[in-house]
Amino acid sequence: MTANRSAVPATPPELTPRQQTILGLVVKMYINTATPISSKALLEANDLGVSSATIRNEMAVLEELGYLTHPHTSAGRVPTDKGYRYFVERLIGDVELPQAEQNMIRHQFHQAKLEMSQWMQLAAAILARSVRSAALVTAPKVEQPRLRHLELISTQSQLVLLVVVFQGGTVRQRYLTLHEPMDQAALSQVAAKFNALGHDLDAASLRAKISDPTDFEKAVLDLLMELTSSGSEVPINEVYRDGLTEVLQEPEFNKRDEASALVNAFEQPTFLNDVVTSPVGTVQVVIGGEGRWRELSSCSMVIARYGVEGFATGALGVLGPTRMPYGRAIGTVRYVADLMSDLVSDLYVD
Amino acid sequence: MTANRSAVPATPPELTPRQQTILGLVVKMYINTATPISSKALLEANDLGVSSATIRNEMAVLEELGYLTHPHTSAGRVPTDKGYRYFVERLIGDVELPQAEQNMIRHQFHQAKLEMSQWMQLAAAILARSVRSAALVTAPKVEQPRLRHLELISTQSQLVLLVVVFQGGTVRQRYLTLHEPMDQAALSQVAAKFNALGHDLDAASLRAKISDPTDFEKAVLDLLMELTSSGSEVPINEVYRDGLTEVLQEPEFNKRDEASALVNAFEQPTFLNDVVTSPVGTVQVVIGGEGRWRELSSCSMVIARYGVEGFATGALGVLGPTRMPYGRAIGTVRYVADLMSDLVSDLYVD
DNA sequence: GGTTAGCAGTCATATACGTAGAGTGCTAAT
DNA sequence: ATTAGCACTCTACGTATATGACTGCTAACC
C-alpha cells in the first residue's frame, strides 16, 4: 500500500484504505446526485461499519489534505479537482466497458454506411449518449499524404480551383490566382503531368521529380506543399460534435458563465486539438481546466488521439462537468478511439 | 393611409398614425433596453406633444388589439409577436444598410481567400457580429451538378471510394461495396471511361450515354444519381455557424429552457433549410416560432436564400430573441445574401 | 488509541411581512 | 380629445424568524 502504482511526479501522500474508500464513495455519490455528500448520507447508502462521527473525522482529514471541500459550514462534502484526480488515477477500478455495451457500439459501427465523415459523426453521437456529455471528434490528419489525383479547374479568368484527392480519400481544395490567363486545356495538361508523375507520392517527392517547372507549376507545387505541411490548418468544419444540448441541462451549467465557457470551448474549432497531448492508445483526463483553461474550471475532459501514430491521427473525446462519470467516460473514449483507429488503418493504409 | 402597402392576406386593422408611432417607439425602445416600456419612459425619451395619460390610453387600445402586453399590472408594455410583425411589415422604414457598413462588409469579402467554405464562414461571422445574433449559413446546393471529374479508389478488397468533383469545385465522396474484387487498374479504366464521356454532363445524361453498362458501372451510375438527386442529403457538416455564445448572453436566455431551445435549433443540421421558404432575393422574417416551432416561442429568425434560383442555392440568416434589431438584421441579411449570390454565380456559372 | 454518542454552533433555505416604488386605469375637469 | 390626479395593483427588496441539515468538538467508551 505504500508503493506507488503510478509514475506521476509529486505523488500525493498515501491515504489509509478507509480514507480511500470514503473519498471514492464521496466522488461516486456526488457524481450521481450532484448534491454535497453528508456523513449521514454516506453512511446510509453504504455499510462501512463505523459511525457518522468517524466518517466526519476522516472527511475532515481528507479536507485538510485538499481532496474535499465544503460549500459552506453546514453542507456536505464535495470533491476538489485534486480529489477527482486521485479518484481517476488510484481508485477507479476497471474502466473496460461491459461486453454488452462494447457489442452495441461495435454493432452500430458496422451498420453504418462506410464513410469517414459519417463515422466521425457516429462516434460523436455514441460518445455523447454513452457518457451524457458533449462529444467532439476531429478528422484524422494524414502526416505526409500521398497524392491520388489532382484537378485544375478554371473558374473565372485568372482564377483556378485546385482539387486534390489524397490516398485514403481525403479531399482538399484551394483557389489559385493566375498572373496571366490560362485556358482549361493548358490547365488540364499540367494536371495530367502532375498526375502521371506524382501518383502515390507526397508533395515534396513530386516537387523533386519535376525539373525546371514553369511559374504556374511552381505555384501549384507551393500550394500542394502548403496543403500538406504539418502547419496547415485542418479545414474549419472538420470537427464533429454532439450532445451539447444534453450536457447544458446539467445543474452546474445553470450559471450562465459556466454555460458560456462550455459552449465557447465546444464551438472553437481548434479547441480539441489544442488540448490533446497524449499519444494514440492512451486516454487523457483533464480535470477542471487544469489551470491552463481558466474558463473551464468546472469542466472536465476525457480525450484521446486515434489513428496510426506518425501517419494519420485525429482526436476525440467528451467535455462535461467535473462531476463526470469518469469510469464510463474513460472506458467509452478508449473503446471508440480503438474502433476509429481500426478504421483509419483500414481506410488509409493499404 | 387607408391603402394597404403590402399584399399580405388578412391585413391587420388600420392603426391611427399616433398609434403607429407609439407602437413603433415601444418596439424600438424595448429592443434596446429589454425592459418593459412605461408611458412615462416613452414620453421622456421622445417628444410626442401629449401627456403620459394619453399614451396610456393609446397603449391600452394597442393592447386590446393584440399588439402589446403587460407582464403584470404595474409594469410597462412589451410588444407581442403580432406587434413585432406589424412593426416589421409596416413601420420599418429604410432597411438598407448604411453605405459605410456596406463598404466594410464588402471589403472583408474581398480580403478573404477565395474559397467557398471560407466565404460561408465569413458570412456567418459578419452576420453574427453585425446583428448580435447567432448566424447560420448553409452551403449552396447545385441542382443538376455537372461532372468535372470522378475517381475510383480501391481501399480494401471489395471496398471502393468514389470521389466526384463537380463543376464549380464541389466535391462529394461515397463508398461502394463490390460484389467481386476489382483491382485498381480496372477501376481506373472505368473512371477514365466515365471521365471521357461524362465531362460537363449531369449524372442522368451520362447514364444515357453509356450503353450496355457492366454491373459495376451501373452501381457507380446509381451512386452518382443518388449523390446528385434533389432528395440527397446535404453533407451534415456543410452548415457554418457563428455567434452562439454572444446571443446566449441576451437576458431572454437566462431561463434554461429558452437557451436549450435555441441551442437545439442552432445545432440541428437541417434546421435552416427546413425553415426557409422564400425565394432568392427576398428576406423572410419568422417571429416567435410562428406556431410551427413551438420551442422557439421567444426567438425570431431573419433568413434568406442566396445563389441562383433553379441552379444553385443555399440559405443564410440569423437567429436571436424576438427582441431582435429587425432593421439591422433585414438589411444585413439582404446585403450578405446578395454578396453570396454574386459569389455563387461567379464560381458556379461559367 | 481509535471510536462514538451527543450536543452546540453555523449556515442555507423557506416563509412571512412590511415598505417603497413603478406604473396602470379610471374619473373628473379642461 | 386631452389631461391632471389619485387610487389601486403588483414587483422587488429588505428584515425577521423558523427550520433543518451538517459539522466540529468534547467527553465517554471499548
Side-chain angles (χ1 to χ4, degrees):
Chain A
M1 258 317 152
T2 40
N4 289 331
R5 291 216 313 260
S6 73
V8 178
T11 310
E14 209 51 64
L15 299 179
T16 66
R18 191 169 67 191
Q19 285 165 350
Q20 292 189 5
T21 309
I22 290 175
L23 176 54
L25 287 172
V26 170
V27 171
K28 276 185 202 151
M29 288 179 72
Y30 183 64
I31 284 172
N32 282 329
T33 62
T35 50
I37 308 301
S38 71
S39 54
K40 194 170 145 232
L42 199 146
L43 193 65
E44 279 164 5
N46 314 81
D47 186 20
L48 292 180
V50 292
S51 76
S52 67
T54 307
I55 295 175
R56 275 203 291 286
N57 290 334
E58 294 287 40
M59 280 175 159
V61 174
L62 286 168
E63 179 157 3
E64 191 114 354
L65 294 173
Y67 296 103
L68 297 176
T69 355
H70 252 156
H72 55 86
T73 14
S74 74
R77 292 320 205 286
V78 165
T80 60
D81 291 353
K82 187 178 171 188
Y84 285 124
R85 167 69 54 202
Y86 191 95
F87 177 76
V88 166
E89 275 172 13
R90 311 284 220 91
L91 305 179
I92 274 190
D94 188 16
V95 295
E96 182 101 343
L97 228 46
Q99 203 61 42
E101 210 144 343
Q102 291 192 14
N103 290 339
M104 222 178 63
I105 293 176
R106 195 151 19 87
H107 184 66
Q108 287 184 69
F109 261 86
H110 289 129
Q111 254 193 344
K113 288 178 197 155
L114 305 160
E115 176 125 38
M116 201 56 189
S117 69
Q118 293 168 305
W119 265 323
M120 291 187 282
Q121 192 61 51
L122 178 62
I126 287 173
L127 287 172
R129 247 160 264 158
S130 173
V131 189
R132 294 205 142 277
S133 292
L136 292 164
V137 180
T138 67
K141 182 158 191 260
V142 180
E143 281 301 318
Q144 289 216 315
R146 283 175 297 159
L147 303 176
R148 182 87 209 188
H149 178 86
L150 64 82
E151 186 79 3
L152 290 162
I153 303 177
S154 152
T155 55
Q156 301 159 286
S157 64
Q158 320 274 95
L159 191 58
V160 171
L161 176 65
L162 168 67
V163 178
V164 193
V165 182
F166 294 102
Q167 202 68 284
T170 314
V171 178
R172 300 290 299 271
Q173 49 201 307
R174 199 61 78 89
Y175 281 95
L176 189 72
T177 310
L178 296 176
H179 297 298
E180 56 213 35
M182 284 175 76
D183 65 5
Q184 182 60 52
L187 293 174
S188 300
Q189 220 172 342
V190 174
K193 176 178 174 189
F194 278 30
N195 282 324
L197 288 172
H199 193 267
D200 248 17
L201 298 182
D202 62 38
S205 311
L206 171 60
R207 163 179 266 169
K209 262 181 115 173
I210 303 223
S211 54
D212 201 15
T214 65
D215 280 355
F216 174 65
E217 288 173 344
K218 251 187 227 158
V220 173
L221 285 168
D222 283 349
L223 205 52
L224 274 175
M225 291 297 288
E226 192 195 317
L227 274 176
T228 59
S229 74
S230 58
S232 145
E233 284 298 309
V234 173
I236 197 162
N237 250 27
E238 282 292 67
V239 37
Y240 297 78
R241 296 170 237 249
D242 202 346
L244 179 58
T245 332
E246 287 83 345
V247 81
L248 281 179
Q249 303 299 328
E250 296 292 338
E252 21 273 286
F253 302 115
N254 251 328
K255 292 186 64 183
R256 233 235 286 276
D257 291 349
E258 304 294 341
S260 287
L262 181 85
V263 173
N264 249 329
F266 190 71
E267 294 275 295
Q268 200 191 320
T270 62
F271 179 72
L272 180 54
N273 279 314
D274 290 349
V275 178
V276 185
T277 59
S278 62
V280 170
T282 61
V283 175
Q284 183 181 351
V285 180
V286 179
I287 295 168
E290 224 126 87
R292 269 177 301 173
W293 296 274
R294 259 181 270 158
E295 314 293 305
L296 295 179
S297 58
S298 60
C299 292
S300 281
M301 293 170 261
V302 176
I303 51 188
R305 303 194 70 79
Y306 70 90
V308 180
E309 197 78 69
F311 178 75
T313 63
L316 56 77
V318 296
L319 174 59
T322 44
R323 193 180 57 74
M324 172 187 281
Y326 291 97
R328 279 195 78 73
I330 295 172
T332 312
V333 166
R334 173 172 299 159
Y335 190 70
V336 173
D338 285 350
L339 280 175
M340 292 294 288
S341 294
D342 291 347
L343 285 180
V344 170
S345 67
D346 280 1
L347 287 180
Y348 290 68
V349 186
D350 53 5
Chain B
M1 259 317 151
T2 40
N4 289 332
R5 292 216 312 259
S6 74
V8 177
T11 309
E14 208 52 64
L15 299 179
T16 66
R18 191 170 66 192
Q19 285 165 350
Q20 292 190 4
T21 309
I22 290 174
L23 176 55
L25 287 172
V26 170
V27 171
K28 276 185 201 150
M29 287 179 74
Y30 183 64
I31 284 172
N32 281 329
T33 62
T35 51
I37 308 301
S38 72
S39 54
K40 194 171 147 235
L42 200 148
L43 193 65
E44 276 164 7
N46 314 81
D47 186 20
L48 293 180
V50 292
S51 76
S52 67
T54 307
I55 295 175
R56 275 202 291 285
N57 290 334
E58 293 287 41
M59 279 176 160
V61 175
L62 287 168
E63 179 157 3
E64 192 113 356
L65 294 173
Y67 296 103
L68 296 177
T69 357
H70 251 154
H72 56 85
T73 17
S74 74
R77 292 321 205 287
V78 166
T80 61
D81 290 353
K82 187 178 171 188
Y84 285 124
R85 167 69 54 201
Y86 191 95
F87 176 77
V88 167
E89 275 172 13
R90 311 283 220 92
L91 305 179
I92 274 191
D94 188 15
V95 294
E96 182 101 344
L97 227 46
Q99 203 61 41
E101 210 144 341
Q102 290 193 14
N103 290 340
M104 222 178 62
I105 293 176
R106 194 150 21 86
H107 185 66
Q108 287 185 68
F109 261 86
H110 289 130
Q111 255 191 342
K113 288 177 195 154
L114 306 160
E115 176 126 36
M116 200 57 189
S117 68
Q118 293 167 303
W119 265 323
M120 292 188 281
Q121 193 60 50
L122 177 62
I126 287 172
L127 287 172
R129 246 160 265 158
S130 173
V131 188
R132 296 203 140 274
S133 293
L136 292 164
V137 180
T138 67
K141 180 157 191 266
V142 180
E143 283 299 318
Q144 290 215 315
R146 283 174 298 161
L147 302 176
R148 183 85 210 188
H149 178 86
L150 65 81
E151 186 81 2
L152 290 163
I153 303 177
S154 153
T155 55
Q156 301 158 285
S157 65
Q158 319 274 98
L159 192 59
V160 171
L161 176 66
L162 167 68
V163 178
V164 193
V165 181
F166 293 102
Q167 202 68 287
T170 312
V171 177
R172 300 291 297 273
Q173 50 201 305
R174 198 61 78 88
Y175 281 95
L176 190 72
T177 311
L178 296 177
H179 297 298
E180 55 213 35
M182 285 176 75
D183 66 3
Q184 182 60 51
L187 292 174
S188 299
Q189 221 172 343
V190 175
K193 177 177 173 188
F194 278 29
N195 281 325
L197 289 171
H199 193 267
D200 247 18
L201 298 182
D202 62 39
S205 311
L206 172 60
R207 163 179 266 169
K209 261 180 117 175
I210 303 223
S211 54
D212 200 15
T214 64
D215 280 354
F216 174 66
E217 288 173 344
K218 249 186 227 160
V220 174
L221 285 168
D222 283 348
L223 204 54
L224 274 175
M225 291 296 289
E226 193 196 318
L227 274 176
T228 60
S229 75
S230 58
S232 145
E233 284 297 309
V234 173
I236 198 163
N237 249 26
E238 281 294 67
V239 37
Y240 297 78
R241 297 168 234 251
D242 202 345
L244 179 59
T245 332
E246 286 84 346
V247 81
L248 281 180
Q249 303 299 329
E250 296 292 338
E252 22 274 283
F253 302 115
N254 251 328
K255 293 185 63 182
R256 233 234 286 274
D257 292 348
E258 305 293 341
S260 286
L262 181 86
V263 172
N264 248 330
F266 190 70
E267 293 275 296
Q268 199 191 320
T270 63
F271 180 72
L272 180 54
N273 280 313
D274 290 348
V275 178
V276 184
T277 58
S278 61
V280 171
T282 60
V283 175
Q284 182 182 351
V285 181
V286 179
I287 295 168
E290 224 128 85
R292 270 176 302 173
W293 296 273
R294 258 182 270 158
E295 314 292 306
L296 295 179
S297 58
S298 61
C299 292
S300 281
M301 293 170 262
V302 176
I303 51 189
R305 301 196 72 78
Y306 70 90
V308 180
E309 197 77 70
F311 177 74
T313 62
L316 56 78
V318 296
L319 173 60
T322 44
R323 193 180 57 74
M324 171 186 281
Y326 291 98
R328 278 194 79 72
I330 296 173
T332 312
V333 166
R334 173 171 299 159
Y335 190 70
V336 173
D338 286 350
L339 280 176
M340 291 294 288
S341 293
D342 291 348
L343 285 180
V344 169
S345 67
D346 281 1
L347 286 181
Y348 290 69
V349 186
D350 53 4

